[in-house]
């Protein structure tokens, strides 16, 4: 799943210098991708598989949302978008769990155990008796003695009780005499009688014998013949029915190399024997087959490794050694040959023997061979070849050139971005000076996002190591996750996607900040005098300082949005800045209410500011609730959900800007009405501004909350609710815009 | 809600449970179809299952080095066979899976037969249906009705099949049924009974909107299965006959040996997956592209591998090449055969008239067209009959009906009596007297006007005007407008929200045209997932048999009409 997803967008061949993954040293194209990559690839240890699955599902859903909103050039999502056109193709239905099952093994075992106990006891008895029957020297003993011995093992059924053979139903008479099974004592006729050859009997009892007669030496002689004292018994042998026939039968029946028994006992014994034989016997096919599987496993392990090497080498990279790869190739090929040979051997097993094996056996062999061929076809023929030494040198050169070129391009891009930015800065004041602030703002909003990208790109080349920051963010986020795991917040925090979203929000607020800041700058220019009132503003006044000033702020902010550590810094440095807006005349554009909210969200992922977060968490929901029509749905996680913006954020913001001009009369609540009515130009009162700041913050939170609900609703498929919420959201956003605009 | 995946997962789980080593899959006739539809041989071979055996096959050798996976329906014969098998086990270990609920007493009998302790697993895995597409399943049951009620032996099987779908998808649905059909009600009740009895099994996580099971009767729409089809899957079934996603091409003139029977499975055949629902014209283009692709990929020197690089390229491409060559020859053959049949049987013309009969409301035009076509000597028997049937169903109550003369025409044409009788059976099966819904005539003025304008504008595709009744029904259902008076709920509870997960079951068989409709609804309706099932999947031929079988019972058993 997740692992299949990154390569497609990372484009492993394209390499940039600045965006190396700190863990696997993989080169990523941009900051976004690196972040994606990092979260996808290196957070598995934190997240368990179901979590990933969930996130995948969410991704798919988000992609859908995106499509419906008709925007987003984010490459990550685009790969999913093509699936959607309203509903879902059944082939794309989400993965589902295994259907219902029910096990009967327990009652099966219970019934079987009851049965088996009986069966096992019988079987054991039979073996013990057999052991006794074979424990004396039959050949040197006269028939009578043997008979006596045999009778002592099991009590024989009375002849008179059985007038007919129980197996075939034949009547017993002088001709058709009774015979006793030596193992169970039952009676049958001669036709139904079976014999156990002594060797078989020995074999069957070998296990028991050892167990029973440990101290004695050879099993055959353990019981000295006659030790059981049979001599005293012969007279009573057959009681009253002693007759000629029985005497003659005794004479006939001297079995010195076999033991007579009934069919049932014989059956059971044979089965037992079969089992014994199977236990030790491993057929050739199994031996060969095991070897075959071993080779296949090896190939499965080694082939991907080789392919990775070969790909890299063929691209001219220097990560692997050509010789080693060559060695691996031969090794893999050797395995293929082995597989081929083994499967051929399996195919021809027993073919030369006279009674040809059972057709099913042959079929089995054919199928094994067929599978092996399929395996080879699929895997071996996919093995690419390695470049020759000369070719490799060539490739290496090419690759180097490529690298150089790319580096060059990157630098160029960065410098261009730089240029663009400075141009933008130059342009901006002019626009503002032109008077109409509204259209100017729109252009800013639209024009800003790409250049924010450029800042990041530039950042990659600056001495400030971006990588460090990213990993910082990552580790902080993870720590926060670990710390927050106790509350319900954590489950959401745990979510891969939402991390990205958080980042999105950073970007968004970053963008807002910058645009607002620019706007502020304009106003600053308009009212340069007022700045002197600002005690905290460290930067010197005067027109010439503006550029530096902005540069600095921008720097601080770009860092702040990237690193929680920097963030704390930013928080510290912002309040003084934050006091400046009241002195300006554009409170609705006030970047600092935004700023206030942004750091809040940042802090959540920052372990160091957890306390603040808690404070706010306890404080805000109360306020929020007044505005929240869905408060019954609220739970502990709301805060987090609310804080976690959804990927629409970026787009929403653009949308916001787009919608900016349309205007919306919708008034959300008393608070907003208040702000709306506040004329910033009249307003020199610090207190009222700070109040307003809170209102806007709440509004923003509310927006976030609604987004969370939308997300939630989408996830559980309540589409009508989604619509309703989306409506709500749009209204809120418009209100927000309105509010920001009006004071102007 | 993906039935194919559900069965596949069951099978994989079975194989997985048995661990490594050579395995044999022991099945019965039905489970063989169930498994073979979702798994190809090479796929299952890769999981070390090398032999596929029938439990009732006598020709099985003892192979103690194999593990046996038994996937069986819990029938009496199967249990008996299994008992015999366990008494004298041929394999080393047995993993037993029943495709449906099995009784405790049968478990006991099996346990007592297992004296050698070879059984390692006994479970119920509810894959008791044939999953043809992710959203389409069949029970492969023909002749389900006697007159207007269930053939007694079929009802329990249908109940089992339907409940197993619910279990495999983990749905405990609310049930709606078609009031005009007694059979629907009976089946609904039987399913409900099982759900109540096995309430522990059906104890799934509750969803906000409970899933819905809608049970319909084929007799409400006897027209759809009579129409010629023009989308790939439906057309193949109509003209060549799809049986568990396999086509028998042995009757195709000059067919090569390895194409006698081909498998059309969207799971493993990319071309088929992409073209399953496209119409014949589009497929023609696509197959041409496929051929061109193939030509390109086909190593130039297949006859003459001249240079080493040629050979290398050949080897590099070989697996794909081989796979592709199989695909190409298969689809070229199939499409070729389809177009041969189309021209041989004048199916374009036939279909045009069929569509007109089904969708337009112009009696004089219709009767002229039907008459004209019946004169055509190239018209196949079955096509002639279906035209007359469509006419009979469509203008059953028309004052100027020319049905008798059309029947005479059929006789003159030399159509067998068996077929001619079917016309009457068809009207009895799906005529107006039986139907609960408005199948044919748009009665209100708006609909007629719409029809009129449609006629003026000309239709985009004359061969695809028809929309099965199911489309309308489902559309209403999704919008929450399906009338309770026609499709009541079983039990006191009704769904308050619009349904999201819907399982539709068609007694008397669904069609691939309806499968396409459901597929399109799934694709266009956000948040709705529909699975269609039928006692079987019909083409015209099988549908005619079904109707004949149903009619056959009419004389014996007293038929009770359930008109309301």
């Amino acid at each position: 799943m997740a692992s299949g997803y990154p390569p497609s967008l990372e484009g492993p061949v394209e390499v940039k210098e600045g965006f190396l993954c700190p863990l696997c040293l993989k080169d990523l194209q941009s900051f976004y991708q690196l972040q994606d990559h990092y979260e996808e690839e290196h957070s598995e240890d934190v997240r368990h598989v179901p979590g990933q699955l969930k996130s995948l599902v969410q991704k798919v859903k988000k992609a859908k949302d995106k499509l419906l909103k008709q925007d987003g050039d984010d490459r990550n999502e685009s790969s999913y978008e093509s699936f959607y056109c309203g509903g879902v193709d059944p082939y794309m239905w989400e993965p589902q769990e295994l259907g219902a099952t029910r096990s009967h093994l327990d009652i099966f075992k219970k019934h079987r155990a009851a049965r088996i106990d009986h069966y096992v006891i019988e079987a054991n008895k039979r073996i013990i008796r057999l052991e006794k029957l074979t424990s004396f020297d039959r050949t040197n003993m006269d028939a009578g003695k043997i008979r006596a011995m045999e009778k002592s093992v099991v009590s024989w059924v009375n002849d008179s009780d059985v007038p007919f053979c129980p197996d075939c139903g034949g009547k017993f008479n002088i001709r058709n005499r009774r015979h006793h099974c030596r193992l169970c004592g039952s009676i049958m006729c001669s036709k139904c009688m079976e014999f156990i050859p002594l060797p078989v009997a020995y074999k069957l009892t070998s296990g028991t014998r050892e167990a029973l007669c440990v101290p004695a030496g050879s099993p055959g002689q353990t019981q000295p013949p006659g030790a059981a004292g049979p001599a005293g018994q012969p007279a009573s042998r057959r009681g009253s029915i002693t007759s000629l026939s029985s005497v003659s039968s005794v004479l006939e029946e001297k079995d010195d190399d076999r033991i007579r028994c009934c069919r049932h006992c014989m059956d059971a014994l044979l089965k037992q024997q079969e089992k014994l034989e199977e236990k030790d016997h491993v057929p050739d096919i199994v031996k060969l087959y095991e070897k075959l599987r071993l080779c296949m496993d090896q190939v499965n392990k080694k082939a991907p490794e080789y392919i990775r090497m070969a790909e890299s080498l063929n691209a001219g990279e220097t990560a692997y050694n050509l010789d080693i790869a060559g060695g691996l190739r031969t090794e893999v090929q050797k395995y293929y040959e082995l597989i081929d040979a083994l499967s051929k051997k399996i195919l021809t097993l027993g073919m030369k023997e006279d009674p040809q094996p059972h057709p099913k056996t042959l079929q089995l062999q054919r199928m094994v061979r067929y599978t092996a061929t399929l395996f080879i076809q699929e895997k071996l023929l996919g093995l690419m070849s390695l470049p020759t030494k000369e070719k490799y040198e060539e490739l290496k050169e090419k690759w180097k050139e490529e690298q150089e070129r790319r580096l060059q391009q990157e630098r160029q891009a960065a410098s261009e971005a730089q240029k663009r930015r400075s141009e933008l800065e130059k342009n901006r004041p002019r626009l503002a000076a032109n008077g109409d602030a509204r259209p100017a703002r729109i252009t800013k909003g639209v024009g800003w996002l790409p250049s924010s990208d450029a800042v990041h790109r530039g950042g990659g080349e600056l001495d400030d190591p971006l990588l460090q920051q990213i990993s910082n963010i990552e580790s902080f986020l993870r720590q926060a996750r670990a710390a927050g795991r106790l509350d319900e917040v954590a489950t959401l925090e745990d979510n891969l996607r939402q991390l990205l979203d958080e980042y999105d929000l950073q970007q968004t607020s970053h963008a807002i900040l910058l645009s607002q800041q620019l706007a502020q700058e304009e106003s600053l220019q308009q009212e340069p005098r007022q700045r002197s009132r600002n005690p905290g503003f460290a930067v010197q006044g005067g027109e010439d300082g503006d550029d530096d000033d902005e540069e600095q702020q921008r720097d601080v902010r770009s860092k702040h949005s990237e690193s929680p550590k920097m963030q704390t810094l930013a928080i510290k440095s912002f309040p003084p800045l934050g006091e400046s807006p009241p002195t300006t005349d554009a409170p609705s554009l006030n970047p600092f209410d935004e700023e206030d909210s942004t750091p809040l969200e940042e802090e959540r992922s920052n372990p160091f500011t957890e306390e603040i977060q808690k404070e706010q968490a306890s404080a805000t929901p109360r306020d929020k609730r007044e505005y929240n029509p869905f408060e019954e749905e609220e739970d502990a996680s709301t805060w987090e959900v609310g804080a976690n913006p959804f990927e629409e954020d970026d787009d929403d913001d653009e949308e916001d800007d787009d919608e900016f001009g349309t205007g919306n009369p919708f008034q959300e609540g008393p608070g907003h009405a208040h702000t709306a009515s506040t004329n910033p130009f009249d307003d020199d009162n610090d207190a009222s501004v700070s109040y307003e700041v809170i209102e806007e913050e709440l509004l923003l939170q509310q927006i976030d909350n609604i987004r969370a609900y939308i997300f939630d609703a989408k996830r559980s498929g309540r589409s009508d609710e989604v619509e309703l919420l989306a409506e709500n959201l749009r209204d809120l956003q418009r209100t927000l815009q309105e509010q920001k605009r009006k004071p102007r | 809600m993906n039935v194919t995946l559900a069965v596949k997962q069951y099978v994989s789980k079975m194989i997985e449970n048995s661990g490594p080593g050579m395995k044999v899959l022991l099945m019965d006739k039905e489970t063989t179809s169930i498994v073979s539809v979702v798994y190809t041989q090479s796929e299952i071979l890769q999981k070390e299952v090398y032999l596929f055996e029938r439990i009732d096959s006598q020709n099985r050798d003892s192979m103690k080095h194999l593990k046996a996976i038994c996937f069986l329906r819990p029938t009496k014969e199967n249990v008996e066979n299994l008992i015999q098998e366990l008494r004298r086990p041929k394999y080393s270990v047995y993993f037993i899976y029943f495709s449906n609920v099995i009784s405790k007493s049968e478990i006991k009998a099996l346990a007592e037969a297992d004296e050698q302790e070879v059984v390692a697993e006994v479970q119920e895995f509810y894959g008791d249906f044939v999953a043809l597409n992710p959203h389409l399943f069949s029970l492969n049951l023909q002749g389900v009705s006697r007159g207007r009620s269930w053939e007694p032996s079929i009802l329990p099987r249908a109940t089992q099949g339907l409940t197993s779908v619910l279990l495999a998808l983990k749905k405990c649905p609310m049930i709606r049924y078609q009031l005009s059909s007694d059979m629907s009600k009976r089946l609904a009740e039987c399913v409900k009974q099982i759900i109540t009895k096995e309430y522990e099994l059906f104890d799934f996580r509750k969803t906000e909107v409970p899933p819905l099971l809608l049970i319909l009767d084929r007799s409400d729409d006897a027209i759809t299965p009579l129409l010629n089809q023009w989308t790939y899957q439906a057309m193949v079934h109509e003209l060549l006959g799809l049986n568990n996603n396999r086509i028998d091409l042995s009757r195709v003139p000059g067919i090569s040996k390895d194409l006698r029977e081909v498998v059309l499975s969207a799971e493993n055949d990319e071309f088929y997956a992409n073209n399953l629902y496209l119409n014949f014209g589009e497929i023609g283009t696509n197959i041409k592209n496929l051929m061109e692709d193939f030509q390109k990929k086909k190593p130039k020197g297949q006859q003459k591998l001249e240079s080493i690089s040629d050979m290398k390229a050949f080897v590099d491409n070989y697996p794909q090449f081989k796979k592709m060559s199989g695909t190409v020859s298969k689809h070229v053959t199939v499409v070729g055969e389809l177009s041969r049949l189309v021209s041989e049987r004048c199916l374009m013309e036939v279909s045009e008239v069929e569509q007109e009969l089904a969708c337009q409301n112009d009696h004089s035009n219709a009767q002229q067209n039907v008459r004209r076509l019946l004169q055509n000597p190239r018209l196949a028997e079955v096509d002639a009959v279906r035209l007359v049937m469509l006419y009979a169903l469509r203008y059953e109550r028309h004052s100027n009906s020319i049905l008798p003369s059309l029947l005479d025409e059929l006789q003159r044409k030399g159509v067998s009596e068996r077929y001619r009788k079917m016309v009457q059976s068809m009207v009895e099966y799906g005529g107006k007297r039986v139907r609960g819904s408005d199948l044919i005539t748009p009665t209100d003025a708006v609909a007629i006007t719409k029809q009129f304008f449609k006629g003026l504008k000309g239709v985009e595709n004359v061969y695809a005007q028809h929309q099965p009744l199911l489309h309308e029904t489902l559309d209403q259902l999704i919008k929450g407008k399906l009338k309770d008076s026609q499709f009541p709920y079983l039990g006191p509870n009704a769904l308050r929200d619009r349904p999201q997960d819907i399982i539709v079951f068609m007694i008397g068989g669904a069609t691939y045209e309806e499968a396409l409709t459901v597929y399109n609804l799934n694709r266009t309706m956000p948040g709705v997932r529909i699975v269609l099932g039928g006692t079987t999947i019909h083409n015209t031929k099988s549908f005619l048999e079904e109707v004949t079988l149903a009619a056959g019972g009419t004389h014996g058993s007293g038929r009770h009409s359930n008109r309301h």
Side-chain angles (χ1 to χ4, degrees), chain A residues 85-91 93 96-105 107-108 111-112 115-116 119 267 271 275 278 283 285-286 289 293 358 360-361 363-364 367-368 370-371 374 377-378 381 385 717-718, chain B residues 1-2 6 9-10 22 41-42 45 48 50 53 59 61 63-65 101 104 108 111 114-117 119 122-126 133-134 167-168 170 198 205 208 266 276 312 318 500 519 522-523 525-526 530:
Chain A
C85 48
V88 186
D89 188 319
Y91 286 94
W93 277 346
Q96 65 194 33
E97 45 186 320
L98 182 73
T101 62
R102 178 159 66 179
S103 176
H104 290 295
L105 193 60
I107 52 166
F108 186 92
H111 286 301
R112 181 172 68 183
R115 180 78 175 199
I116 292 277
Y119 176 79
D267 257 14
K271 264 191 204 165
K275 228 179 179 175
E278 278 160 22
I285 183 166
V286 174
Y289 181 76
R293 293 302 297 185
H358 192 276
K360 290 291 172 192
T361 313
Q363 193 188 346
L364 174 73
M367 291 317 252
V368 173
Y370 176 61
T371 313
L374 277 184
Q377 258 178 25
E378 207 175 295
L381 300 175
S385 50
R718 287 166 278 159
Chain B
M1 286 289 282
N2 181 334
Q9 282 179 335
Y10 275 140
M22 288 183 278
Q41 193 190 33
S42 51
L45 279 175
E48 297 187 87
Y50 296 109
E53 300 281 2
N59 182 28
D61 191 24
M63 293 187 184
K64 294 286 188 177
H65 44 286
V101 177
K104 293 265 187 301
K108 187 167 177 242
D114 183 25
E115 284 173 346
Q116 313 228 2
E117 293 184 273
V119 175
V122 184
Q123 290 214 49
E124 287 169 9
F125 273 24
Y126 306 96
N133 290 128
L167 286 167
K170 293 196 164 174
E198 306 285 346
R205 198 161 19 103
E208 203 163 319
L276 191 57
K312 221 165 134 194
Y318 185 71
Q500 289 175 346
Y519 174 81
N522 276 323
R523 279 185 40 198
M525 296 282 188
I530 313 170

Side-chain angles (χ1 to χ4, degrees), chain A residues 406-418:
Chain A
R406 202 172 288 139
L407 207 68
Q408 203 74 36
Q409 273 178 352
E410 209 174 303
R411 281 211 187 102
Q412 211 174 340
S415 65
E416 260 171 35
Q418 201 88 22

Side-chain angles (χ1 to χ4, degrees), chain A residues 637-655:
Chain A
S637 66
T638 317
W639 170 246
E640 186 55 33
V641 174
N644 262 319
F646 298 87
E647 38 115 68
E648 300 104 50
D649 276 13
D650 252 335
D651 324 321
D652 282 350
D653 247 272
E654 284 175 25
E655 243 174 49

Side-chain angles (χ1 to χ4, degrees), chain B residues 33-57:
Chain B
S33 323
I34 290 167
V35 173
S36 69
V37 162
V38 297
Y39 261 110
T40 58
Q41 193 190 33
S42 51
E43 240 177 320
I44 214 159
L45 279 175
Q46 279 170 7
K47 297 179 183 249
E48 297 187 87
V49 178
Y50 296 109
L51 288 178
F52 311 90
E53 300 281 2
R54 289 275 289 275
I55 184 88
D56 49 355
S57 145

Side-chain angles (χ1 to χ4, degrees), chain B residues 55-101:
Chain B
I55 184 88
D56 49 355
S57 145
Q58 298 307 313
N59 182 28
R60 280 191 285 122
D61 191 24
S62 173
M63 293 187 184
K64 294 286 188 177
H65 44 286
L66 291 188
K67 294 175 174 180
I69 300 166
C70 311
F71 182 44
L72 303 166
R73 299 206 63 249
T75 60
K76 238 191 210 146
E77 308 83 72
N78 281 339
V79 171
E80 193 43 51
N81 281 328
L82 197 53
I83 285 176
Q84 294 309 324
E85 179 78 26
L86 292 180
R87 288 240 163 88
R88 292 194 170 271
K90 294 195 170 62
Y91 310 105
S92 60
V93 199
Y94 286 76
F95 298 83
I96 301 172
Y97 300 92
F98 288 105
S99 67
N100 222 312
V101 177

